[in-house]
Amino acid sequence: MIWRIDVFAKKKASSSKIASDIGDLGNFKVAGVYTRKVYLLEADLDSEKMNQIASRLLIDPVTQEYSLSEGIFKVPPSDTQILITYNAGVCDPVGLSLEKAVSDLSFEIKSARTASFFELNGLSKEDISYIAPRILYNPLIEHILEYEKAGKLTTLDEFSGKDYKFDLATVDLLEADSFKLKEISKLGCLSLSLEEMTIIQDYFRKLKRSPTDCELETIATLWSEHCAHKTFRGVIEYSEKNSEGEIIKKETINSLLKSTLMRATKELAHSGCVSVFEDNSGVVAFDENNNICFKVETHNHPSSLEPYGGASTGIGGVIRDILGTGCAAKPFASIDVFCFSPWKIAHENVPQGLLHPKRIMKGVIKGVRDYGNRMGIPTICGAVLFDERFLGNPLVYCGTLGILPKNKSFKESQPGDLVILCGAKTGRDGIHGATFSSKELDEHTVGLTTAVQVGNPIEEKKLTEAILRARDKDLFSSITDCGAGGISSAITELAQAHGVKVDLEKVPLKYRGLNYTEIWISESQERMVFFSRPENLTELEKIFREEEVPLTVVGRVTDTHKLELSYQGSKVCDLDMDFIFNLPKLEKKAVWICKKQKDSKIKPKESYNEDLKNLLASPNIAPKDWILREYDHEVQAGSVTKSIYGINRIALSDSAVSRPDLNSQKCVVVGFGINPFYSDIDPYWMAALAIDEALRNVICAGAGLEKTFVLDNFSWASPQDELVLGGLVRASKACYDFSTYFGVPFISGKDSLYNEYDVSGKHIAIPGTLLISAMSVMDDYRKVTSNIFKCVDNLVYIIGSTKPQMAASEYFRQLKITSGILPEVDRNRAKDTFSNLSRVIAKGLVESCHDCSEGGLAVSIAEMCIGADLGVNIFLGEVPGPEGMLDYEVLFSESASRFIVEVKKENQKEFEACLKGLEFGLIGCVCGEKKLVIYSQTNKQVIDTTIAELRGSWMKTFDEFR
Amino acid sequence: MKPKALIIRTAGTNCDKETEFAFQAAGVKTCLHHINYIKEKPDFSDYQILCIPGGFSYGDDLGAGKILSLEFICWFKESLQRFVDRGGLILGICNGFQVLTKTGILPDADFRQKVTLTDNDSGRFEDRWVYLKVESQSVWLKDMDERICLPVAHGEGKFYAEKDILDRIEGNHQVVLRYTDKDLNLAGYPFNPNGSLNNIAGITDSTGRVLGLMPHPERFIFKHHCPFYKYKEVFPFGVKFFSNAADYFK
């Protein structure tokens, strides 16, 4: 029978958060919102035992009470009450923990689930049915328990599926014409093109048999954009046209990846690269004992549909990438970067089928927070950008860094190895995730509900501990994570060189009813696969039992070069590895049309006080301390520079610095570059500037280019559009050019394409967005510098040249000016600037250093003042740059490769001597009065404001979230 | 004598390694074990110090520290009682503090829950640095500055008890750490980061040998841990907690 236990606070209080969210939705007169946690337990226990469970387990006796009743509903809920639970098959982590805890009390129950009860007083039934799916639950993963149905339930089995009876399915492919082939791909959600379907057809014609559904799914998964990166590895016919439409350049690119990003790394042949573009993350040298690795992933599509689940499984996935690097690295820090639509849009202006951007933002942040914090991996830094075009396709970048012993940096496997699956059980979660993320979203996508899932961080935490213990005892020789495609891609890729046999019925299942193909392609979270010699099994089982992590032998590595799957003794898949991994190269067309940039000037003003304050208040510039504080950014005790620091703890650093090993003086610096707005004018310079920005951010901390590595993450619209693909080619070319120029190799990357949305006849594509993440190794954490002013009377310098480059700048975009000249990275000077600055910082001549990015030098200096609560006087006439610039250009231009540097007077001579040959200017000094005063090129005060006022503007934008 | 500390971890414990590092740096021998290993032979007689580090034991799924405290009661009640009676030291940090209150080791070591740590008033997890007033000279806090600073990072850290209990532990001077502003005045949010009654950040049992606190001393054992270490001379206050434990057995 089912028992229901409601837990509520002794002191009844209305939830002001939910009430205020309801207020955001419209004019509802809510008189009070009351919530309760509800536990549903199926058990053959009497009420006395249930009371014991409730009182000992489910309540905090100091603050909470409970009520116990039989059945899900004793009485029908009133019109203002609703009870929400997860859909069948969605992970319910609390339910699982409850099952474990009850067994500690030596009681037996069949199953446990959780639900949430809401009472929304003062609202009508209609109001509630409008509000609930917008605020209280997401129909993709949850539903309302209705009295009519749920009231009669006597078992929770409804939630766990029906038995499955084996029935081998084959797909009639051999005789299919092209129309039929396309239909097979579409109906099966395979996302395979006609060309690919034809190649598959030929393969099976040679074998003289039809494929099983499982074989077709396997090929679709391993050939998906998500797993195989078809666009980046395919053939691109690229042409460049001038603004008159004449072709000025033609080129056939055979693998964009190999001819740009990987080529740069190959040519640089950097001695610090250990394993790059090969494993689940990029591995570089750290110290005599350890290497470090870094991976950044996107989880855009799932986050657009279910922000909390999408973001949490995003961070969970990239953590497993680190665990699956070499023979398992230990994750020591995470990062995240988001692009959202501005959150102040009216609900009625959000197209049908999309979530409100505020809900997306809150859900994504909460997802990263809950997963990262529970994993005990500090989320050390991040960035958030806003643009309307992210309305249907928010971007969620999650990255993790790991540390691994040098002798555990590579994988080995041999025939006879056991194939071991460990971690969570397998359910129907995320089926078709890989193929799903390889297509554009539309209103119908919402029907593909199984692609959305929720993570369970504690499962992954246990998994991490068990794997690292087994690693340290040399109990396995290769490992990988189950990401897109689940065990299908994990096992197949790991066994690629030899061949493998897998018994699918051995895979432990969360619930009944999964067929063999579902088991094979399920993307259930928190699972890993590793290969081990049979003699290690006993010891492995001991460790995993203690850590309470399921571990199952599901197959064996063979020497047949075949992928052989069976289910209950019948063969369900028999494919040649060579065929699976010999992907057809797709041909695509790409065109880039060169646009002429037109300079534009606006009328100069007497005072730029207001303009500066408006810039500081821009959502792209204003501080996101409120997000960072929700992340445990200090766990593992490695933080050297935190994202939030300073006396008043409102300074935000350019980069974060961590010590992955407390026994070593060495530290790791992480910084980002991202600016999708430049993409609208030229993705080439967008990419170059992103690299420049990421490098500036690590240089500011004191890192040097010679131990700096970069990662690329492209989020782009559909590559089927030749202009869109043209932009992607341009950006990749810039990556090659500037990676080789700066001497910083790419070590890992990922692309997320098809970020477009078609809704009610409207087509929204995101701007081409490249996130560059830079990671540097520094030898001594005590040499790390920070980015806010230190002391009165110190001198303030600018390094680098300021030019009238206002296009797509934060200033021009605020004024809605779309013309102007785009910044460029100066290939004659930038590298020298960076190298010299690193040298003077290493010599200890620099007190603080901050780069100029969004908002130009004025914003940069303002940030250095606000963080330190110190004032400065600045003279624009001393800023190096071309003649005849207007004051606003000097103040707000976003010219590349520039830094503001604070230097002690006694170090002036030595500092300047070190920078000989570079463009720099002594532009002012730190002063006792807490004011920012900037004099124009003709020595008039163009900015004169107190630091308190600046701080006010800077802080107010996100006050509603603090 | 070099004392020996047993650090107990379980699924979701996540501050165990740095807590072990802090103990070792202070000259304490350590054993870091999974609770399932200890369950095989629940005997603490080899140890002088017990520590329950921070984290999210079992995801804090039924409330912070709830399931782990149930395991303590079911498996370790007698051995814990013996350990306390024998004069051993116990430290519960953050999730460990939550476990000590829910197990009923704090405030009275009688295995009855009288106080709790509940949802922050802000309704969310927060990681921030706080000033603390040290109001005791008991074992763990001996010779400390009156004002120290440490980071907190939790979502359920609001100290709560009924008035009679609160008055009693105040009267017994069991409240040993209080959130203050930088001039040692009691102040509201964010100085008191969670809305704790009486600004309580940490309490001991009547002997002072059992300490539970929400702030993380193991996260301030190097100067660079402090968010303003570049601006003024700072002392890594967290070190003192661990060295006091080591000194106690000298």
Side-chain angles (χ1 to χ4, degrees):
Chain A
M1 67 184 295
I2 299 176
W3 290 96
R4 168 175 167 171
I5 298 156
D6 285 42
V7 173
F8 41 92
K10 282 183 182 167
K11 287 183 188 154
K12 204 176 169 191
S14 172
S15 163
S16 55
K17 279 202 170 168
I18 298 174
S20 112
D21 283 346
I22 294 175
D24 286 349
L25 267 184
N27 193 21
F28 296 102
K29 297 267 176 295
V30 57
V33 182
Y34 300 95
T35 63
R36 288 183 217 158
K37 271 186 219 154
V38 175
Y39 300 94
L40 304 173
L41 283 82
E42 186 184 347
D44 294 323
L45 297 172
D46 57 21
S47 64
E48 190 218 312
K49 295 210 169 79
M50 289 311 299
N51 275 314
Q52 270 202 52
I53 289 177
S55 61
R56 294 186 64 186
L57 254 184
L58 300 180
I59 59 159
D60 182 329
V62 181
T63 55
Q64 292 173 325
E65 294 171 324
Y66 71 92
S67 65
L68 173 72
S69 58
E70 278 176 41
I72 296 179
F73 293 105
K74 203 152 89 185
V75 289
S78 77
D79 281 355
T80 57
Q81 299 176 331
I82 53 171
L83 187 62
I84 292 165
T85 192
Y86 286 120
N87 294 344
V90 174
C91 171
D92 182 353
V94 179
L96 293 174
S97 289
L98 176 54
E99 286 172 15
K100 179 213 149 52
V102 171
S103 70
D104 280 339
L105 286 178
S106 316
F107 291 134
E108 256 184 57
I109 59 167
K110 284 208 179 105
S111 65
R113 294 188 68 83
T114 60
S116 305
F117 171 88
F118 297 91
E119 186 171 320
L120 305 153
N121 291 335
L123 297 177
S124 68
K125 206 174 166 118
E126 291 69 44
D127 287 347
I128 291 174
S129 61
Y130 177 84
I131 290 165
R134 285 170 178 78
I135 287 177
L136 304 178
Y137 76 106
N138 184 344
L140 291 182
I141 55 164
E142 296 161 299
H143 64 280
I144 295 179
L145 284 165
E146 304 285 354
Y147 175 74
E148 290 70 30
K149 265 200 211 156
K152 294 186 198 112
L153 289 182
T154 52
T155 165
L156 295 172
D157 240 16
E158 294 288 312
F159 297 101
S160 56
K162 297 192 172 57
D163 281 329
Y164 167 70
K165 199 166 160 289
F166 177 64
D167 181 18
L168 184 68
T170 54
V171 182
D172 207 0
L173 195 71
L174 301 190
E175 305 304 322
D177 58 12
S178 54
F179 175 79
K180 187 83 208 291
L181 285 177
K182 277 199 239 173
E183 200 183 65
I184 292 170
S185 169
K186 198 171 174 198
L187 289 177
C189 275
L190 302 175
S191 296
L192 289 167
S193 69
L194 176 60
E195 221 183 321
E196 292 165 320
M197 286 299 288
T198 313
I199 292 168
I200 296 168
Q201 188 180 42
D202 287 347
Y203 174 76
F204 283 100
R205 277 180 177 164
K206 272 180 213 145
L207 294 180
K208 299 199 175 76
R209 67 173 176 91
S210 294
T212 66
D213 57 341
C214 185
E215 288 173 324
L216 211 49
E217 289 278 8
T218 304
I219 298 166
T221 301
L222 286 149
W223 289 8
S224 68
E225 185 65 61
H226 197 104
C227 293
H229 306 280
K230 290 191 269 204
T231 302
F232 264 92
R233 290 179 188 273
V235 178
I236 298 174
E237 293 295 337
Y238 173 70
S239 54
E240 268 180 39
K241 296 179 181 171
N242 62 18
S243 47
E244 276 80 49
E246 299 158 26
I247 293 180
I248 50 173
K249 191 178 169 188
K250 270 190 103 149
E251 189 185 348
T252 303
I253 301 168
N254 201 342
S255 175
L256 188 57
L257 184 61
K258 281 190 182 152
S259 60
T260 58
L261 300 148
M262 284 169 79
R263 182 175 150 214
T265 303
K266 203 173 164 193
E267 286 179 14
L268 286 170
H270 195 295
S271 62
C273 290
V274 175
S275 155
V276 290
F277 289 107
E278 282 169 8
D279 209 330
N280 288 314
S281 67
V283 185
V284 303
F286 181 64
D287 63 11
E288 59 276 13
N289 304 317
N290 292 300
N291 290 323
I292 47 168
C293 57
F294 191 9
K295 170 69 171 271
V296 181
E297 270 280 10
T298 49
H299 226 220
N300 305 336
H301 299 287
S303 303
S304 68
L305 298 175
E306 168 33 40
Y308 181 82
S312 65
T313 51
I315 185 87
V318 76
I319 291 168
R320 286 194 305 280
D321 275 326
I322 295 306
L323 270 180
T325 296
C327 276
K330 177 189 174 224
F332 71 86
S334 289
I335 60 100
D336 58 59
V337 174
F338 310 133
C339 297
F340 298 127
S341 176
W343 69 97
K344 279 183 178 162
I345 176 177
H347 276 267
E348 54 270 26
N349 293 338
V350 178
Q352 183 78 33
L354 295 185
L355 299 178
H356 191 277
K358 188 171 175 181
R359 182 169 179 191
I360 292 185
M361 178 162 78
K362 281 177 146 182
V364 164
I365 292 166
K366 215 173 145 207
V368 170
R369 176 194 73 188
D370 284 357
Y371 210 99
N373 291 358
R374 277 172 172 70
M375 282 300 292
I377 300 168
T379 303
I380 56 172
C381 58
V384 189
L385 293 170
F386 295 90
D387 187 276
E388 278 88 6
R389 286 168 289 177
F390 296 119
L391 185 62
N393 294 94
L395 303 186
V396 175
Y397 296 95
C398 297
T400 299
L401 295 107
I403 179 164
L404 76 170
K406 283 204 150 140
N407 62 358
K408 294 284 176 190
S409 298
F410 294 94
K411 305 181 200 300
E412 279 168 23
S413 63
Q414 51 178 301
D417 280 352
L418 301 178
V419 177
I420 296 173
L421 172 66
C422 60
K425 291 180 181 172
T426 298
R428 216 172 259 121
D429 328 49
I431 282 176
H432 286 137
T435 47
F436 163 72
S437 67
S438 307
K439 60 195 285 183
E440 291 168 41
L441 299 181
D442 58 37
E443 281 137 300
H444 311 290
T445 319
V446 173
L448 290 168
T449 55
T450 51
V452 178
Q453 36 183 335
V454 180
N456 185 356
I458 292 310
E459 272 316 303
E460 185 143 313
K461 176 68 178 157
K462 292 194 291 189
L463 186 58
T464 307
E465 297 289 339
I467 285 172
L468 292 176
R469 278 180 71 183
R471 175 197 78 179
D472 291 341
K473 294 201 154 181
D474 299 314
L475 295 178
F476 57 85
S477 59
S478 61
I479 184 165
T480 197
D481 65 304
C482 300
I487 56 171
S488 72
S489 60
I491 295 178
T492 313
E493 281 171 14
L494 216 51
Q496 183 182 350
H498 304 291
V500 69
K501 267 188 180 169
V502 178
D503 293 330
L504 291 172
E505 81 273 7
K506 292 202 175 142
V507 173
L509 302 181
K510 287 183 185 173
Y511 38 81
R512 294 164 301 173
L514 272 76
N515 68 37
Y516 56 91
T517 302
E518 288 173 320
I519 294 170
W520 181 234
I521 64 168
S522 157
E523 294 185 4
S524 281
Q525 298 290 308
E526 290 96 23
R527 300 178 305 162
M528 303 280 292
V529 166
F530 61 85
F531 291 176
S532 175
R533 299 307 300 167
E535 58 267 26
N536 294 332
L537 191 60
T538 318
E539 206 171 345
L540 278 168
E541 282 173 336
K542 190 170 167 254
I543 291 175
F544 278 68
R545 199 180 313 121
E546 188 171 302
E547 301 287 344
E548 295 177 17
V549 181
L551 168 144
T552 317
V553 177
V554 297
R556 226 174 233 269
V557 178
T558 63
D559 56 2
T560 60
H561 300 277
K562 274 173 170 271
L563 172 66
E564 297 168 271
L565 307 178
S566 60
Y567 185 82
Q568 294 176 356
S570 305
K571 202 162 248 188
V572 296
C573 170
D574 186 3
L575 291 170
D576 294 293
M577 286 287 189
D578 287 348
F579 174 71
I580 300 173
F581 287 100
N582 188 13
L583 266 69
K585 287 212 166 172
L586 293 192
E587 263 191 46
K588 288 199 171 100
K589 275 209 175 88
V591 175
W592 172 250
I593 302 170
C594 302
K595 290 169 217 152
K596 275 210 179 108
Q597 295 179 25
K598 221 179 85 209
D599 196 8
S600 85
K601 305 274 178 196
I602 56 171
K603 206 173 148 240
K605 292 186 190 174
E606 300 268 296
S607 163
Y608 290 98
N609 280 345
E610 288 314 305
D611 301 61
L612 175 59
K613 286 183 204 162
N614 289 340
L615 280 173
L616 288 170
S618 151
N620 293 328
I621 291 173
K624 285 87 181 174
D625 56 315
W626 52 282
I627 304 178
L628 294 162
R629 271 192 230 286
E630 290 201 36
Y631 299 150
D632 189 345
H633 49 269
E634 297 180 283
V635 62
Q636 296 195 20
S639 69
V640 175
T641 301
K642 300 175 211 297
S643 305
I644 320 167
Y645 73 103
I647 293 285
N648 300 314
R649 278 151 262 164
I650 55 162
L652 299 181
S653 64
D654 294 306
S655 52
V657 185
S658 279
R659 290 170 67 197
D661 177 2
L662 296 180
N663 294 305
S664 167
Q665 308 279 27
K666 290 202 176 195
C667 61
V668 177
V669 187
V670 182
F672 307 108
I674 182 169
N675 194 326
F677 313 111
Y678 297 150
S679 225
D680 296 332
I681 300 168
D682 189 346
Y684 181 88
W685 288 112
M686 179 278 288
L689 291 161
I691 294 173
D692 192 80
E693 185 186 11
L695 296 179
R696 287 192 320 256
N697 283 331
V698 293
I699 297 286
C700 280
L705 287 178
E706 63 287 348
K707 282 194 185 175
T708 298
F709 308 86
V710 285
L711 282 74
D712 64 89
N713 282 86
F714 291 88
S715 287
W716 230 256
S718 168
Q720 307 299 354
D721 180 328
E722 53 186 37
L723 291 174
V724 169
L725 188 55
L728 187 63
V729 172
R730 287 277 296 168
S732 305
K733 283 175 175 286
C735 286
Y736 169 78
D737 290 348
F738 287 91
S739 161
T740 48
Y741 168 66
F742 284 115
V744 293
F746 281 95
I747 57 166
S748 164
K750 200 74 195 265
D751 54 286
S752 160
L753 308 176
Y754 301 94
N755 288 286
E756 311 194 347
Y757 204 100
D758 271 310
V759 70
S760 11
K762 243 171 113 185
H763 184 80
I764 318 172
I766 64 157
T769 306
L770 170 64
L771 170 70
I772 296 287
S773 311
M775 166 180 73
S776 312
V777 176
M778 271 178 79
D779 289 336
D780 186 347
Y781 70 86
R782 288 163 298 192
K783 291 274 166 72
V784 169
T785 182
S786 67
N787 69 348
I788 56 174
F789 291 126
K790 298 286 177 313
C791 189
V792 173
D793 287 343
N794 282 348
L795 306 176
V796 179
Y797 286 85
I798 184 166
I799 305 182
S801 169
T802 304
K803 298 182 181 117
Q805 295 167 323
M806 303 298 292
S809 66
E810 197 65 37
Y811 188 61
F812 264 27
R813 283 190 303 109
Q814 275 201 349
L815 300 174
K816 309 247 181 290
I817 300 169
T818 52
S819 52
I821 305 289
L822 201 61
E824 295 184 358
V825 180
D826 184 347
R827 248 174 289 195
N828 293 316
R829 292 177 188 275
K831 191 178 176 184
D832 283 345
T833 306
F834 289 9
S835 309
N836 276 290
L837 182 56
S838 301
R839 222 166 295 143
V840 290
I841 293 175
K843 278 190 169 177
L845 299 174
V846 169
E847 301 309 304
S848 67
C849 177
H850 187 21
D851 75 317
C852 301
S853 58
E854 289 96 341
L857 78 86
V859 165
S860 182
I861 290 170
E863 286 171 343
M864 295 176 86
C865 292
I866 296 169
D869 203 19
L870 286 169
V872 285
N873 289 324
I874 298 292
F875 299 87
L876 295 185
E878 303 301 322
V879 175
E883 292 292 309
M885 278 179 64
L886 300 169
D887 284 328
Y888 73 81
E889 291 174 330
V890 184
L891 286 167
F892 306 127
S893 161
E894 295 179 9
S895 293
S897 318
R898 294 179 306 152
F899 301 88
I900 307 293
V901 179
E902 180 193 9
V903 176
K904 276 186 191 159
K905 271 187 181 155
E906 66 248 40
N907 292 330
Q908 178 175 9
K909 261 198 182 151
E910 200 184 346
F911 175 78
E912 291 184 4
C914 289
L915 294 188
K916 221 173 161 192
L918 293 180
E919 286 179 288
F920 67 93
L922 171 57
I923 57 171
C925 66
V926 184
C927 56
E929 200 180 0
K930 293 180 179 179
K931 279 180 89 173
L932 172 61
V933 182
I934 300 184
Y935 295 90
S936 73
Q937 299 169 93
T938 52
N939 279 328
K940 288 185 190 125
Q941 286 189 357
V942 281
I943 287 178
D944 175 15
T945 167
T946 64
I947 304 306
E949 268 180 84
L950 293 176
R951 184 187 303 119
S953 309
W954 195 56
M955 295 295 281
K956 73 175 181 205
T957 306
F958 292 109
D959 255 351
E960 61 177 298
F961 300 109
R962 279 196 186 91
Chain B
M1 178 193 83
K2 228 182 185 189
K4 203 162 149 192
L6 172 65
I7 302 167
I8 303 174
R9 71 178 180 91
T10 187
T13 304
N14 64 29
C15 305
D16 44 329
K17 312 277 187 310
E18 55 267 39
T19 304
E20 181 177 39
F21 184 91
F23 270 118
Q24 287 174 352
V28 175
K29 280 193 273 183
T30 57
C31 287
L32 171 56
H33 285 309
H34 195 283
I35 189 165
N36 288 343
Y37 175 86
I38 305 166
K39 276 181 191 172
E40 288 172 15
K41 191 179 155 236
D43 176 12
F44 304 136
S45 54
D46 275 354
Y47 305 98
Q48 289 74 46
I49 303 166
L50 270 188
C51 175
I52 310 152
F56 290 84
S57 52
Y58 303 104
D60 283 354
D61 279 341
L62 302 175
K66 185 75 189 178
I67 298 178
L68 184 56
S69 68
L70 182 82
E71 289 190 295
F72 269 54
I73 294 168
C74 293
W75 297 84
F76 302 154
K77 198 172 168 181
E78 285 75 34
S79 25
L80 271 172
Q81 189 70 63
R82 274 200 299 276
F83 184 83
V84 172
D85 295 344
R86 180 159 67 76
L89 299 187
I90 301 181
L91 176 64
I93 304 168
C94 197
N95 198 239
F97 185 20
Q98 291 158 343
V99 171
L100 290 180
T101 61
K102 291 182 184 178
T103 311
I105 299 173
L106 281 175
D108 295 331
D110 59 357
F111 295 91
R112 282 170 43 202
Q113 185 185 347
K114 294 168 192 147
V115 305
T116 197
L117 294 146
T118 184
D119 292 336
N120 293 355
D121 278 354
S122 67
R124 62 183 170 200
F125 183 99
E126 285 190 68
D127 176 340
R128 52 169 79 240
W129 278 66
V130 293
Y131 290 104
L132 297 164
K133 188 177 183 203
V134 180
E135 298 194 356
S136 160
Q137 280 290 313
S138 60
V139 192
W140 292 97
L141 303 162
K142 207 162 175 293
D143 299 330
M144 271 199 202
D145 290 359
E146 191 186 10
R147 186 194 76 176
I148 63 172
C149 60
L150 289 176
V152 292
H154 58 249
E156 295 178 50
K158 176 180 178 167
F159 188 91
Y160 183 86
E162 292 299 334
K163 193 175 177 305
D164 53 330
I165 306 273
L166 201 59
D167 289 347
R168 186 165 61 78
I169 60 171
E170 286 281 8
N172 285 345
H173 304 289
Q174 283 172 259
V175 177
V176 293
L177 290 166
R178 243 184 261 277
Y179 303 111
T180 67
D181 67 9
K182 74 174 193 295
D183 302 315
L184 286 176
N185 300 313
L186 299 184
Y189 181 81
F191 298 102
N192 176 347
N194 46 36
S196 281
L197 296 188
N198 295 12
N199 293 52
I200 294 172
I203 62 170
T204 61
D205 68 343
S206 60
T207 69
R209 291 195 298 262
V210 182
L211 169 67
L213 76 169
M214 287 314 293
H216 286 272
E218 81 284 9
R219 294 188 187 181
F220 192 15
I221 56 167
F222 290 107
K223 284 184 181 180
H224 68 72
H225 284 143
C226 178
F228 44 86
Y229 80 106
K230 285 199 182 289
Y231 300 86
K232 48 176 156 180
E233 199 44 46
V234 293
F235 176 77
F237 293 112
V239 172
K240 195 79 185 145
F241 288 81
F242 302 97
S243 61
N244 274 340
D247 292 346
Y248 182 69
F249 293 100
K250 259 184 188 163

